[in-house]
Short mmCIF file of all heavy atoms in Angstrom, two decimals:
data_model
loop_
_atom_site.label_atom_id
_atom_site.label_comp_id
_atom_site.label_asym_id
_atom_site.label_seq_id
_atom_site.Cartn_x
_atom_site.Cartn_y
_atom_site.Cartn_z
N MET A 1 0.80 -1.28 -0.04
CA MET A 1 0.09 0.00 -0.03
C MET A 1 0.86 1.28 0.08
O MET A 1 1.81 1.44 0.83
CB MET A 1 -0.95 0.03 1.21
CG MET A 1 -2.14 0.88 1.09
SD MET A 1 -3.26 0.29 -0.17
CE MET A 1 -4.23 -0.90 0.89
N LYS A 2 0.56 2.10 -0.94
CA LYS A 2 1.38 3.34 -1.06
C LYS A 2 0.93 4.34 0.10
O LYS A 2 -0.23 4.66 0.27
CB LYS A 2 1.12 4.00 -2.41
CG LYS A 2 1.95 5.27 -2.62
CD LYS A 2 1.52 5.91 -3.99
CE LYS A 2 2.31 7.24 -4.21
NZ LYS A 2 1.70 7.87 -5.40
N LYS A 3 2.05 4.96 0.65
CA LYS A 3 1.71 6.02 1.78
C LYS A 3 2.30 7.29 1.30
O LYS A 3 3.31 7.36 0.53
CB LYS A 3 2.34 5.51 2.97
CG LYS A 3 1.62 4.40 3.61
CD LYS A 3 2.08 4.12 5.08
CE LYS A 3 1.21 3.03 5.86
NZ LYS A 3 1.46 2.97 7.27
N ILE A 4 1.70 8.38 1.74
CA ILE A 4 2.19 9.64 1.48
C ILE A 4 2.35 10.42 2.72
O ILE A 4 1.97 9.96 3.79
CB ILE A 4 1.25 10.48 0.53
CG1 ILE A 4 -0.13 10.79 1.24
CG2 ILE A 4 0.97 9.80 -0.79
CD1 ILE A 4 -1.02 11.66 0.47
N ARG A 5 3.12 11.55 2.68
CA ARG A 5 3.44 12.31 3.82
C ARG A 5 2.58 13.54 3.90
O ARG A 5 2.37 14.30 3.02
CB ARG A 5 4.93 12.75 3.78
CG ARG A 5 5.52 13.36 4.98
CD ARG A 5 6.99 13.56 4.77
NE ARG A 5 7.55 14.62 5.67
CZ ARG A 5 7.62 15.91 5.41
NH1 ARG A 5 7.13 16.30 4.32
NH2 ARG A 5 8.06 16.74 6.29
N CYS A 6 2.05 13.66 5.11
CA CYS A 6 1.15 14.84 5.45
C CYS A 6 1.93 16.09 5.49
O CYS A 6 2.89 16.18 6.19
CB CYS A 6 0.46 14.65 6.77
SG CYS A 6 -0.51 16.05 7.24
N PRO A 7 1.68 17.20 4.66
CA PRO A 7 2.53 18.30 4.67
C PRO A 7 2.34 19.18 5.95
O PRO A 7 3.24 20.02 6.14
CB PRO A 7 1.93 19.15 3.45
CG PRO A 7 0.53 18.60 3.23
CD PRO A 7 0.56 17.14 3.76
N VAL A 8 1.39 18.81 6.83
CA VAL A 8 1.32 19.63 7.94
C VAL A 8 2.06 19.06 9.18
O VAL A 8 2.84 19.66 9.79
CB VAL A 8 -0.26 19.81 8.30
CG1 VAL A 8 -0.40 20.44 9.72
CG2 VAL A 8 -0.98 20.59 7.31
N CYS A 9 1.71 17.71 9.50
CA CYS A 9 2.27 17.15 10.64
C CYS A 9 3.48 16.21 10.24
O CYS A 9 4.20 15.84 11.18
CB CYS A 9 1.40 16.29 11.40
SG CYS A 9 0.63 14.92 10.53
N GLY A 10 3.71 15.99 9.01
CA GLY A 10 4.86 15.24 8.60
C GLY A 10 4.69 13.73 8.75
O GLY A 10 5.58 13.04 8.56
N ARG A 11 3.51 13.28 9.12
CA ARG A 11 3.30 11.78 9.40
C ARG A 11 2.94 11.07 8.13
O ARG A 11 2.27 11.67 7.23
CB ARG A 11 2.15 11.70 10.38
CG ARG A 11 1.98 10.38 10.98
CD ARG A 11 1.15 10.42 12.21
NE ARG A 11 -0.16 11.31 11.96
CZ ARG A 11 -0.90 11.63 12.91
NH1 ARG A 11 -0.71 11.20 14.21
NH2 ARG A 11 -2.02 12.44 12.65
N MET A 12 3.47 9.86 7.94
CA MET A 12 3.20 9.01 6.81
C MET A 12 1.82 8.46 7.04
O MET A 12 1.50 7.89 8.20
CB MET A 12 4.20 7.88 6.66
CG MET A 12 5.58 8.52 6.39
SD MET A 12 5.79 9.36 4.95
CE MET A 12 5.61 8.10 3.67
N PHE A 13 0.97 8.48 6.00
CA PHE A 13 -0.38 7.89 6.15
C PHE A 13 -0.86 7.25 4.86
O PHE A 13 -0.38 7.66 3.77
CB PHE A 13 -1.34 8.98 6.74
CG PHE A 13 -1.68 10.01 5.70
CD1 PHE A 13 -2.72 9.93 4.95
CD2 PHE A 13 -0.81 11.12 5.59
CE1 PHE A 13 -3.08 10.92 3.93
CE2 PHE A 13 -1.04 12.19 4.69
CZ PHE A 13 -2.18 12.09 3.86
N ASP A 14 -1.81 6.49 4.94
CA ASP A 14 -2.40 5.76 3.74
C ASP A 14 -3.42 6.71 3.14
O ASP A 14 -4.41 7.09 3.81
CB ASP A 14 -3.04 4.49 4.17
CG ASP A 14 -3.54 3.72 2.94
OD1 ASP A 14 -3.72 4.37 1.83
OD2 ASP A 14 -3.68 2.50 3.11
N PRO A 15 -3.31 7.13 1.97
CA PRO A 15 -4.23 8.08 1.23
C PRO A 15 -5.68 7.61 1.32
O PRO A 15 -6.63 8.37 1.31
CB PRO A 15 -3.69 8.27 -0.13
CG PRO A 15 -2.30 7.82 -0.15
CD PRO A 15 -2.15 6.86 1.06
N GLU A 16 -5.82 6.16 1.36
CA GLU A 16 -7.23 5.62 1.26
C GLU A 16 -7.91 5.76 2.60
O GLU A 16 -9.11 5.54 2.66
CB GLU A 16 -7.09 4.21 0.82
CG GLU A 16 -6.66 4.20 -0.65
CD GLU A 16 -6.64 2.71 -1.13
OE1 GLU A 16 -7.20 1.92 -0.35
OE2 GLU A 16 -6.08 2.41 -2.18
N THR A 17 -7.13 6.14 3.65
CA THR A 17 -7.84 6.19 5.03
C THR A 17 -8.09 7.62 5.38
O THR A 17 -8.73 7.84 6.51
CB THR A 17 -6.85 5.63 6.01
OG1 THR A 17 -5.70 6.48 6.09
CG2 THR A 17 -6.41 4.22 5.78
N THR A 18 -7.84 8.59 4.46
CA THR A 18 -8.20 9.97 4.89
C THR A 18 -9.42 10.47 4.03
O THR A 18 -9.61 10.05 2.92
CB THR A 18 -6.90 10.84 4.67
OG1 THR A 18 -7.30 12.15 5.04
CG2 THR A 18 -6.53 10.87 3.25
N GLU A 19 -9.97 11.51 4.66
CA GLU A 19 -11.14 12.11 3.95
C GLU A 19 -10.78 13.54 3.68
O GLU A 19 -11.52 14.48 3.34
CB GLU A 19 -12.38 12.06 4.78
CG GLU A 19 -12.12 12.55 6.24
CD GLU A 19 -13.30 12.12 6.97
OE1 GLU A 19 -14.53 12.15 6.63
OE2 GLU A 19 -13.14 11.88 8.19
N ALA A 20 -9.42 13.90 3.79
CA ALA A 20 -8.99 15.33 3.63
C ALA A 20 -7.71 15.41 2.88
O ALA A 20 -6.86 16.16 3.22
CB ALA A 20 -8.80 15.93 5.12
N MET A 21 -7.68 14.65 1.78
CA MET A 21 -6.40 14.73 0.97
C MET A 21 -6.17 16.19 0.55
O MET A 21 -6.96 16.96 0.31
CB MET A 21 -6.70 13.99 -0.37
CG MET A 21 -6.69 12.48 -0.17
SD MET A 21 -4.91 11.86 0.11
CE MET A 21 -4.17 12.18 -1.47
N PRO A 22 -4.75 16.52 0.59
CA PRO A 22 -3.67 15.56 0.74
C PRO A 22 -3.11 15.56 2.22
O PRO A 22 -2.02 15.20 2.48
CB PRO A 22 -2.62 16.21 -0.20
CG PRO A 22 -2.77 17.63 0.04
CD PRO A 22 -4.26 17.84 0.20
N PHE A 23 -4.04 15.80 3.09
CA PHE A 23 -3.67 15.75 4.43
C PHE A 23 -4.24 14.55 5.24
O PHE A 23 -5.15 13.82 4.62
CB PHE A 23 -4.17 17.08 5.23
CG PHE A 23 -3.89 18.27 4.43
CD1 PHE A 23 -4.81 18.96 3.71
CD2 PHE A 23 -2.58 18.79 4.57
CE1 PHE A 23 -4.41 20.24 3.08
CE2 PHE A 23 -2.26 20.03 3.88
CZ PHE A 23 -3.23 20.70 3.16
N CYS A 24 -3.57 14.24 6.30
CA CYS A 24 -3.88 12.94 6.96
C CYS A 24 -5.15 13.05 7.75
O CYS A 24 -5.80 12.05 8.05
CB CYS A 24 -2.74 12.57 8.01
SG CYS A 24 -2.58 13.58 9.46
N SER A 25 -5.62 14.18 7.89
CA SER A 25 -6.94 14.48 8.68
C SER A 25 -7.56 15.75 8.40
O SER A 25 -6.83 16.70 7.83
CB SER A 25 -6.76 14.22 10.16
OG SER A 25 -5.90 15.34 10.62
N ARG A 26 -8.83 15.87 8.66
CA ARG A 26 -9.50 17.25 8.47
C ARG A 26 -8.74 18.30 9.30
O ARG A 26 -8.66 19.51 8.94
CB ARG A 26 -10.94 17.19 8.92
CG ARG A 26 -11.83 16.36 7.91
CD ARG A 26 -13.27 16.57 8.30
NE ARG A 26 -14.07 15.48 7.86
CZ ARG A 26 -15.36 15.38 8.26
NH1 ARG A 26 -15.80 16.12 9.13
NH2 ARG A 26 -16.09 14.28 7.76
N ARG A 27 -8.32 17.84 10.57
CA ARG A 27 -7.65 18.84 11.39
C ARG A 27 -6.35 19.38 10.79
O ARG A 27 -6.15 20.50 10.83
CB ARG A 27 -7.22 18.08 12.72
CG ARG A 27 -6.88 19.07 13.85
CD ARG A 27 -6.77 18.28 15.13
NE ARG A 27 -5.74 18.82 16.01
CZ ARG A 27 -4.51 18.48 15.96
NH1 ARG A 27 -4.12 17.54 15.16
NH2 ARG A 27 -3.63 19.03 16.76
N CYS A 28 -5.64 18.53 10.09
CA CYS A 28 -4.37 19.07 9.48
C CYS A 28 -4.79 19.89 8.26
O CYS A 28 -4.19 20.85 8.00
CB CYS A 28 -3.56 17.79 8.94
SG CYS A 28 -2.52 17.09 10.28
N ARG A 29 -5.86 19.62 7.70
CA ARG A 29 -6.29 20.52 6.49
C ARG A 29 -6.66 21.97 7.03
O ARG A 29 -6.31 22.91 6.39
CB ARG A 29 -7.42 19.89 5.78
CG ARG A 29 -7.87 20.72 4.60
CD ARG A 29 -8.77 20.09 3.73
NE ARG A 29 -10.06 19.75 4.50
CZ ARG A 29 -11.24 19.22 4.02
NH1 ARG A 29 -11.09 18.62 2.79
NH2 ARG A 29 -12.30 19.01 4.63
N ILE A 30 -7.27 21.93 8.11
CA ILE A 30 -7.73 23.26 8.71
C ILE A 30 -6.49 23.98 9.13
O ILE A 30 -6.32 25.22 8.95
CB ILE A 30 -8.68 23.01 9.84
CG1 ILE A 30 -10.01 22.53 9.30
CG2 ILE A 30 -8.86 24.34 10.70
CD1 ILE A 30 -10.96 22.10 10.33
N ILE A 31 -5.52 23.36 9.77
CA ILE A 31 -4.26 23.99 10.18
C ILE A 31 -3.55 24.56 9.15
O ILE A 31 -3.06 25.67 9.10
CB ILE A 31 -3.49 22.86 10.97
CG1 ILE A 31 -4.00 22.58 12.34
CG2 ILE A 31 -2.03 23.45 11.11
CD1 ILE A 31 -3.27 21.38 13.07
N ASP A 32 -3.43 23.75 8.02
CA ASP A 32 -2.78 24.30 6.80
C ASP A 32 -3.36 25.51 6.23
O ASP A 32 -2.62 26.39 5.80
CB ASP A 32 -2.67 23.16 5.73
CG ASP A 32 -1.86 23.62 4.49
OD1 ASP A 32 -0.70 23.58 4.61
OD2 ASP A 32 -2.48 23.91 3.47
N LEU A 33 -4.66 25.46 6.12
CA LEU A 33 -5.49 26.64 5.68
C LEU A 33 -5.18 27.91 6.48
O LEU A 33 -5.00 28.97 5.99
CB LEU A 33 -6.95 26.30 5.64
CG LEU A 33 -7.90 27.50 5.12
CD1 LEU A 33 -7.52 27.84 3.53
CD2 LEU A 33 -9.31 27.04 5.30
N GLY A 34 -5.22 27.73 7.79
CA GLY A 34 -4.98 28.87 8.68
C GLY A 34 -3.55 29.37 8.61
O GLY A 34 -3.27 30.62 8.61
N ARG A 35 -2.66 28.46 8.44
CA ARG A 35 -1.28 28.85 8.15
C ARG A 35 -1.03 29.71 6.98
O ARG A 35 -0.40 30.77 6.93
CB ARG A 35 -0.41 27.58 8.17
CG ARG A 35 1.02 27.77 8.50
CD ARG A 35 1.81 26.45 8.27
NE ARG A 35 1.63 25.57 9.49
CZ ARG A 35 2.11 24.36 9.49
NH1 ARG A 35 2.75 23.81 8.43
NH2 ARG A 35 2.03 23.55 10.52
N TRP A 36 -1.74 29.20 5.93
CA TRP A 36 -1.67 29.95 4.65
C TRP A 36 -2.20 31.26 4.72
O TRP A 36 -1.56 32.30 4.17
CB TRP A 36 -2.28 28.99 3.62
CG TRP A 36 -2.13 29.60 2.17
CD1 TRP A 36 -1.12 29.27 1.33
CD2 TRP A 36 -3.00 30.37 1.43
NE1 TRP A 36 -1.28 29.91 0.12
CE2 TRP A 36 -2.41 30.56 0.11
CE3 TRP A 36 -4.20 30.97 1.63
CZ2 TRP A 36 -3.00 31.24 -0.85
CZ3 TRP A 36 -4.76 31.72 0.72
CH2 TRP A 36 -4.25 31.87 -0.55
N LEU A 37 -3.36 31.37 5.35
CA LEU A 37 -3.92 32.74 5.50
C LEU A 37 -3.09 33.59 6.31
O LEU A 37 -3.02 34.87 6.10
CB LEU A 37 -5.41 32.61 6.10
CG LEU A 37 -6.34 31.89 5.16
CD1 LEU A 37 -7.74 31.68 5.88
CD2 LEU A 37 -6.62 32.72 4.00
N GLY A 38 -2.51 33.04 7.42
CA GLY A 38 -1.64 33.83 8.24
C GLY A 38 -0.43 34.44 7.66
O GLY A 38 -0.06 35.64 7.82
N GLU A 39 0.09 33.66 6.69
CA GLU A 39 1.37 34.14 5.86
C GLU A 39 0.95 35.33 5.03
O GLU A 39 1.76 36.16 4.77
CB GLU A 39 1.91 33.04 5.11
CG GLU A 39 2.65 31.98 5.93
CD GLU A 39 3.20 30.91 5.06
OE1 GLU A 39 3.04 30.87 3.87
OE2 GLU A 39 3.71 29.87 5.62
N GLN A 40 -0.26 35.41 4.63
CA GLN A 40 -0.65 36.58 3.76
C GLN A 40 -0.41 37.90 4.49
O GLN A 40 -0.11 38.90 3.92
CB GLN A 40 -2.14 36.44 3.38
CG GLN A 40 -2.46 35.31 2.52
CD GLN A 40 -1.86 35.39 1.11
OE1 GLN A 40 -2.20 36.37 0.48
NE2 GLN A 40 -1.12 34.41 0.66
N TYR A 41 -0.57 37.85 5.93
CA TYR A 41 -0.38 39.12 6.54
C TYR A 41 0.95 39.16 7.20
O TYR A 41 1.49 40.24 7.38
CB TYR A 41 -1.41 39.06 7.69
CG TYR A 41 -2.95 39.19 7.31
CD1 TYR A 41 -3.63 37.97 7.34
CD2 TYR A 41 -3.42 40.37 6.89
CE1 TYR A 41 -4.93 37.96 6.86
CE2 TYR A 41 -4.77 40.39 6.47
CZ TYR A 41 -5.52 39.28 6.45
OH TYR A 41 -6.75 39.33 5.97
N ALA A 42 1.61 37.98 7.40
CA ALA A 42 2.90 38.01 8.10
C ALA A 42 4.03 38.42 7.29
O ALA A 42 5.00 39.01 7.64
CB ALA A 42 3.17 36.68 8.68
N ILE A 43 3.87 38.23 5.85
CA ILE A 43 5.03 38.45 5.02
C ILE A 43 4.59 39.56 4.03
O ILE A 43 4.08 39.27 2.78
CB ILE A 43 5.52 37.18 4.20
CG1 ILE A 43 5.80 36.08 5.27
CG2 ILE A 43 6.69 37.47 3.32
CD1 ILE A 43 6.08 34.75 4.59
N PRO A 44 4.82 40.91 4.23
CA PRO A 44 4.59 41.89 3.30
C PRO A 44 5.61 41.90 2.15
O PRO A 44 6.70 41.45 2.41
CB PRO A 44 4.67 43.25 4.12
CG PRO A 44 5.58 42.80 5.31
CD PRO A 44 5.34 41.42 5.52
N HIS A 45 5.20 42.45 1.00
CA HIS A 45 6.20 42.44 -0.01
C HIS A 45 7.05 43.69 -0.02
O HIS A 45 6.55 44.83 -0.09
CB HIS A 45 5.40 42.45 -1.46
CG HIS A 45 4.86 41.00 -1.65
ND1 HIS A 45 5.60 40.06 -2.13
CD2 HIS A 45 3.62 40.59 -1.50
CE1 HIS A 45 4.77 38.94 -2.28
NE2 HIS A 45 3.59 39.25 -1.83
N VAL A 46 8.37 43.61 0.28
CA VAL A 46 9.26 44.72 0.37
C VAL A 46 10.21 44.82 -0.62
O VAL A 46 11.03 45.74 -0.70
CB VAL A 46 9.85 44.73 1.82
CG1 VAL A 46 8.72 44.83 2.92
CG2 VAL A 46 10.63 43.48 2.18
N GLU A 47 10.39 43.71 -1.48
CA GLU A 47 11.55 43.75 -2.45
C GLU A 47 11.40 44.89 -3.37
O GLU A 47 12.31 45.42 -3.90
CB GLU A 47 11.48 42.37 -3.20
CG GLU A 47 11.89 41.25 -2.26
CD GLU A 47 11.68 39.85 -2.95
OE1 GLU A 47 11.86 39.90 -4.22
OE2 GLU A 47 11.39 38.87 -2.26
N LYS A 48 10.18 45.15 -3.83
CA LYS A 48 10.04 46.15 -4.83
C LYS A 48 10.41 47.54 -4.37
O LYS A 48 11.01 48.31 -5.01
CB LYS A 48 8.55 46.23 -5.36
CG LYS A 48 8.37 46.96 -6.65
CD LYS A 48 7.00 46.64 -7.15
CE LYS A 48 6.85 47.19 -8.57
NZ LYS A 48 7.15 48.63 -8.75
N ASP A 49 10.05 47.82 -2.99
CA ASP A 49 10.52 49.06 -2.36
C ASP A 49 12.05 49.31 -2.46
O ASP A 49 12.42 50.41 -2.59
CB ASP A 49 9.97 49.10 -0.94
CG ASP A 49 8.56 49.25 -0.89
OD1 ASP A 49 7.93 49.69 -1.79
OD2 ASP A 49 7.97 48.80 0.13
N GLU A 50 12.75 48.19 -2.29
CA GLU A 50 14.20 48.28 -2.31
C GLU A 50 14.75 48.79 -3.66
O GLU A 50 15.54 49.57 -3.81
CB GLU A 50 14.85 47.12 -1.90
CG GLU A 50 14.68 46.65 -0.51
CD GLU A 50 15.25 45.27 -0.14
OE1 GLU A 50 15.94 44.70 -0.96
OE2 GLU A 50 14.97 44.92 1.00
N GLU A 51 14.10 48.30 -4.71
CA GLU A 51 14.38 48.73 -6.10
C GLU A 51 14.08 50.11 -6.39
O GLU A 51 14.86 50.87 -6.97
CB GLU A 51 13.64 47.84 -7.10
CG GLU A 51 14.20 46.41 -7.11
CD GLU A 51 13.43 45.68 -8.24
OE1 GLU A 51 12.67 46.33 -9.03
OE2 GLU A 51 13.41 44.40 -8.18
N ASP A 52 12.95 50.59 -5.87
CA ASP A 52 12.52 51.95 -6.05
C ASP A 52 13.57 52.90 -5.26
O ASP A 52 13.90 53.92 -5.75
CB ASP A 52 11.17 52.21 -5.48
CG ASP A 52 10.14 51.56 -6.33
OD1 ASP A 52 10.40 51.23 -7.47
OD2 ASP A 52 9.03 51.41 -5.75
N GLU A 53 13.97 52.47 -4.13
CA GLU A 53 14.89 53.31 -3.34
C GLU A 53 16.18 53.45 -4.04
O GLU A 53 16.82 54.51 -4.13
CB GLU A 53 15.14 52.69 -1.97
CG GLU A 53 16.00 53.52 -1.02
CD GLU A 53 16.14 52.86 0.29
OE1 GLU A 53 15.44 51.77 0.55
OE2 GLU A 53 16.99 53.29 1.02
N ASP A 54 16.59 52.48 -4.80
CA ASP A 54 17.88 52.43 -5.49
C ASP A 54 17.82 53.37 -6.64
O ASP A 54 18.80 54.10 -7.08
CB ASP A 54 18.11 50.97 -5.97
CG ASP A 54 19.58 50.89 -6.60
OD1 ASP A 54 20.63 51.48 -5.96
OD2 ASP A 54 19.70 50.32 -7.73
N SER A 55 16.67 53.51 -7.39
CA SER A 55 16.58 54.31 -8.58
C SER A 55 16.47 55.83 -8.18
O SER A 55 16.64 56.66 -9.06
CB SER A 55 15.25 53.90 -9.35
OG SER A 55 14.20 54.17 -8.59
N GLU A 56 16.13 56.10 -6.90
CA GLU A 56 16.10 57.39 -6.47
C GLU A 56 17.39 58.05 -6.00
O GLU A 56 17.44 59.25 -5.69
CB GLU A 56 15.09 57.58 -5.39
CG GLU A 56 13.60 57.36 -5.77
CD GLU A 56 12.72 57.42 -4.65
OE1 GLU A 56 13.13 57.71 -3.49
OE2 GLU A 56 11.44 57.06 -4.77
N THR A 57 18.47 57.27 -6.05
CA THR A 57 19.77 57.71 -5.55
C THR A 57 20.16 58.89 -6.60
O THR A 57 20.09 58.77 -7.78
CB THR A 57 20.77 56.64 -5.52
OG1 THR A 57 20.88 55.98 -6.78
CG2 THR A 57 20.52 55.76 -4.48
N PRO A 58 20.68 59.99 -6.08
CA PRO A 58 21.07 61.13 -6.95
C PRO A 58 22.26 60.69 -7.79
O PRO A 58 23.17 60.03 -7.42
CB PRO A 58 21.56 62.18 -5.94
CG PRO A 58 21.35 61.70 -4.55
CD PRO A 58 20.97 60.26 -4.65
N ARG A 59 22.25 61.22 -9.05
CA ARG A 59 23.26 60.92 -10.07
C ARG A 59 24.19 62.12 -10.15
O ARG A 59 23.72 63.22 -9.97
CB ARG A 59 22.72 60.65 -11.41
CG ARG A 59 21.79 59.37 -11.46
CD ARG A 59 20.89 59.44 -12.66
NE ARG A 59 19.93 58.22 -12.54
CZ ARG A 59 20.14 57.07 -13.14
NH1 ARG A 59 21.25 56.97 -14.01
NH2 ARG A 59 19.40 56.16 -13.10
N LEU A 60 25.39 61.88 -10.41
CA LEU A 60 26.37 62.87 -10.35
C LEU A 60 26.57 63.50 -11.81
O LEU A 60 27.32 64.45 -11.99
CB LEU A 60 27.77 62.30 -9.93
CG LEU A 60 27.78 61.87 -8.45
CD1 LEU A 60 29.10 61.19 -8.11
CD2 LEU A 60 27.45 62.98 -7.52
N SER A 61 25.89 62.92 -12.72
CA SER A 61 26.05 63.45 -14.12
C SER A 61 25.57 64.87 -14.26
O SER A 61 24.53 65.29 -13.67
CB SER A 61 25.23 62.54 -14.98
OG SER A 61 25.12 63.03 -16.35
N ASP A 62 26.15 65.62 -15.09
CA ASP A 62 25.78 67.09 -15.37
C ASP A 62 24.58 67.07 -16.34
O ASP A 62 23.96 68.09 -16.46
CB ASP A 62 26.98 67.82 -15.95
CG ASP A 62 27.88 68.11 -14.93
OD1 ASP A 62 27.58 68.12 -13.63
OD2 ASP A 62 29.13 68.04 -15.20
N HIS A 63 24.40 65.99 -17.12
CA HIS A 63 23.43 66.03 -18.15
C HIS A 63 22.05 65.66 -17.64
O HIS A 63 21.87 64.95 -16.72
CB HIS A 63 23.70 64.96 -19.19
CG HIS A 63 25.00 65.13 -19.83
ND1 HIS A 63 25.28 66.05 -20.86
CD2 HIS A 63 26.26 64.55 -19.63
CE1 HIS A 63 26.58 66.07 -21.15
NE2 HIS A 63 27.18 65.12 -20.41
N GLU A 64 21.06 66.49 -18.12
CA GLU A 64 19.69 66.12 -17.84
C GLU A 64 19.21 64.91 -18.72
O GLU A 64 19.76 64.95 -19.82
CB GLU A 64 18.75 67.32 -18.01
CG GLU A 64 19.14 68.47 -17.23
CD GLU A 64 18.59 68.45 -15.79
OE1 GLU A 64 17.75 67.52 -15.53
OE2 GLU A 64 18.89 69.32 -15.06
N SER A 65 18.37 64.20 -18.21
CA SER A 65 17.93 63.10 -19.16
C SER A 65 16.99 63.73 -20.26
O SER A 65 16.30 64.78 -19.97
CB SER A 65 17.22 62.01 -18.39
OG SER A 65 16.06 62.54 -17.80
N PRO A 66 16.99 63.19 -21.48
CA PRO A 66 16.13 63.81 -22.55
C PRO A 66 14.66 63.89 -22.13
O PRO A 66 14.03 64.94 -22.63
CB PRO A 66 16.30 62.77 -23.61
CG PRO A 66 17.55 62.12 -23.34
CD PRO A 66 17.68 62.08 -21.88
N GLU A 67 14.18 63.04 -21.25
CA GLU A 67 12.72 63.23 -20.87
C GLU A 67 12.44 64.53 -20.23
O GLU A 67 11.33 64.99 -20.35
CB GLU A 67 12.36 62.02 -19.97
CG GLU A 67 12.21 60.67 -20.76
CD GLU A 67 13.53 59.95 -20.71
OE1 GLU A 67 14.53 60.54 -20.27
OE2 GLU A 67 13.57 58.86 -21.18
N ASP A 68 13.45 65.22 -19.56
CA ASP A 68 13.14 66.29 -18.79
C ASP A 68 12.74 67.49 -19.67
O ASP A 68 12.25 68.58 -19.32
CB ASP A 68 14.37 66.71 -18.00
CG ASP A 68 14.50 65.72 -16.76
OD1 ASP A 68 13.52 65.01 -16.38
OD2 ASP A 68 15.67 65.58 -16.38
N TYR A 69 13.16 67.56 -21.09
CA TYR A 69 12.92 68.62 -21.92
C TYR A 69 11.54 68.62 -22.60
O TYR A 69 11.12 69.55 -23.27
CB TYR A 69 13.94 68.66 -23.02
CG TYR A 69 15.34 69.03 -22.33
CD1 TYR A 69 16.30 68.02 -22.17
CD2 TYR A 69 15.59 70.44 -21.97
CE1 TYR A 69 17.48 68.52 -21.60
CE2 TYR A 69 16.75 70.72 -21.41
CZ TYR A 69 17.74 69.80 -21.20
OH TYR A 69 18.94 70.17 -20.67
N TYR A 70 10.83 67.45 -22.47
CA TYR A 70 9.48 67.41 -23.09
C TYR A 70 8.49 68.19 -22.40
O TYR A 70 8.53 68.21 -21.20
CB TYR A 70 9.13 65.87 -23.29
CG TYR A 70 9.85 65.12 -24.32
CD1 TYR A 70 10.70 64.17 -24.09
CD2 TYR A 70 9.60 65.58 -25.67
CE1 TYR A 70 11.31 63.52 -25.12
CE2 TYR A 70 10.24 64.88 -26.70
CZ TYR A 70 11.15 63.90 -26.42
OH TYR A 70 11.72 63.22 -27.49
ZN1 ZN B 1 -1.32 15.50 9.40
#
């Protein structure tokens, strides 16, 4: 009988004995859902802000960019 690993509790279980695939139980499925929703709030996206900050650094060039004359 093939067994799979529950992504929540890490326990090996028989897929045919569960009613909450791919989790070993309904409880693990609920835990996984709550964990996923929690990460939405816990991890804000800050990578893009770092790129913007870099583009705002003053340039030492004497030339204005062509766009400034339009
Ligand atoms: Zn589990």
Side-chain angles (χ1 to χ4, degrees):
M1 201 69 83
K2 182 188 176 188
K3 290 193 173 186
I4 65 173
R5 186 169 160 274
C6 175
V8 172
C9 66
R11 195 165 42 188
M12 300 297 292
F13 67 97
D14 187 340
E16 292 182 10
T17 64
T18 183
E19 49 193 327
M21 283 291 290
F23 308 104
C24 69
S25 66
R26 286 189 204 168
R27 190 169 150 271
C28 279
R29 184 171 62 182
I30 292 169
I31 290 171
D32 183 75
L33 180 63
R35 197 183 282 174
W36 188 82
L37 291 174
E39 286 178 2
Q40 296 287 308
Y41 296 101
I43 306 174
H45 290 279
V46 294
E47 291 174 26
K48 198 167 189 306
D49 290 337
E50 291 177 7
E51 287 180 16
D52 290 341
E53 188 179 348
D54 189 46
S55 66
E56 288 176 8
T57 54
R59 294 165 188 259
L60 297 175
S61 170
D62 292 329
H63 301 285
E64 301 278 355
S65 65
E67 286 89 359
D68 290 333
Y69 290 105
Y70 282 114

